[in-house]
Amino acid sequence: DEGTGTTAADSSGNGNTMADPGTLTWATGILGGAVSIPGTTTNDMETVNGDATVFDGSSSWTASAWVNVNVLPGSQQSTIINHYAEANNATETPAWSLAIDNGWNNCLSPQFLFYGSQFDGSGSWSGAGCVGSISLHTWYLVTGEYDNSTGTFYLYVNGALVNTGPANGAGFMAYAPCTTAGDCPVSVGSNANNNNLFFNGLVDDARVYNRLLSAAEVLALYNAGNGIPAGLVGWWKLDD
């Protein structure tokens, strides 16, 4: 296990190391090690290098992580994984988040949500989720997907598809790749576009792909844990 220090290695081979501004607390996860995030500014993680070219909105993508929640958000949102394209548009910054929502967007009680904002200056967003319930101190594999060709969001929980949601047409989240390292961070445990949306609990095996996983592949992630390397652009096992 990593277990010590303030960085998390990227096992995808793209060099997207994550760093923490404070001191990470390490814990036992479901696939080995995990990081414990207490819901504060000093213990989230963010990519620090290599993210200029591999994280972009020109393709479909998948985000996935195992989570174990200590505290559910009250009238806001807890971010699991977030991508933020900081410098690509002066009027509206495109972003997507895999999160627990409780009134920040559309969920009326704490529920998983995968959503993105539109790259047109409008600030509108679309997503999939807001179904079911979440139990504390229980492991869940949460997987969000966006199909850029059809403009469709998908949310899987524990390997099963639980909701789909349409965007406003194909290319809803399309934007050019970032050109400067550091301008398109991916965060675990916080929203880089809104710094008060912190997760409180354990996170293990966080992944980002530059493609859609099939339903069978998502189920395989749930049943087998590791594997499915094709298309990985960021993979923080948290036990290297």
Side-chain angles (χ1 to χ4, degrees), residues 10-219:
D10 175 16
S11 296
S12 75
N14 287 296
N16 291 302
T17 301
M18 283 199 171
D20 175 74
T23 301
L24 287 176
T25 300
W26 299 91
T28 300
I30 194 165
L31 299 175
V35 63
S36 178
I37 301 174
T40 65
T41 59
T42 58
N43 289 88
D44 61 302
M45 297 189 299
E46 185 173 298
T47 53
V48 293
N49 61 353
D51 57 354
T53 58
V54 295
F55 297 117
D56 67 81
S58 62
S59 63
S60 302
W61 62 82
T62 300
S64 183
W66 283 94
V67 298
N68 189 315
V69 183
N70 290 335
V71 179
L72 292 167
S75 301
Q76 58 172 6
Q77 193 173 99
S78 295
T79 304
I80 300 168
I81 307 176
N82 167 259
H83 174 48
Y84 174 50
E86 183 174 6
N88 279 17
N89 189 328
T91 57
E92 175 61 26
T93 301
W96 54 255
S97 284
L98 185 64
I100 300 170
D101 187 73
N102 184 15
W104 184 264
N105 287 86
N106 274 8
C107 301
L108 300 180
S109 61
Q111 295 170 313
F112 294 119
L113 176 68
F114 183 58
Y115 70 97
S117 61
Q118 187 162 357
F119 185 66
D120 65 355
S122 68
S124 66
W125 67 275
S126 297
C130 298
V131 295
S133 60
I134 301 171
S135 298
L136 298 179
H137 312 301
T138 301
W139 283 104
Y140 295 92
L141 179 66
V142 188
T143 305
E145 297 193 312
Y146 175 67
D147 185 340
N148 201 39
S149 65
T150 64
T152 306
F153 290 88
Y154 302 86
L155 181 70
Y156 293 79
V157 178
N158 291 342
L161 180 66
V162 296
N163 192 239
T164 63
N168 294 333
F172 173 84
M173 282 289 293
Y175 56 92
C178 291
T179 57
T180 303
D183 279 351
C184 293
V186 172
S187 302
V188 169
S190 70
N191 185 320
N193 192 34
N194 202 314
N195 287 328
N196 65 341
L197 305 180
F198 296 102
F199 181 80
N200 191 318
L202 305 177
V203 180
D204 192 1
D205 199 56
R207 302 166 177 243
V208 178
Y209 292 84
N210 62 2
R211 68 178 180 93
L212 296 177
L213 298 188
S214 68
E217 287 176 315
V218 176
L219 182 60

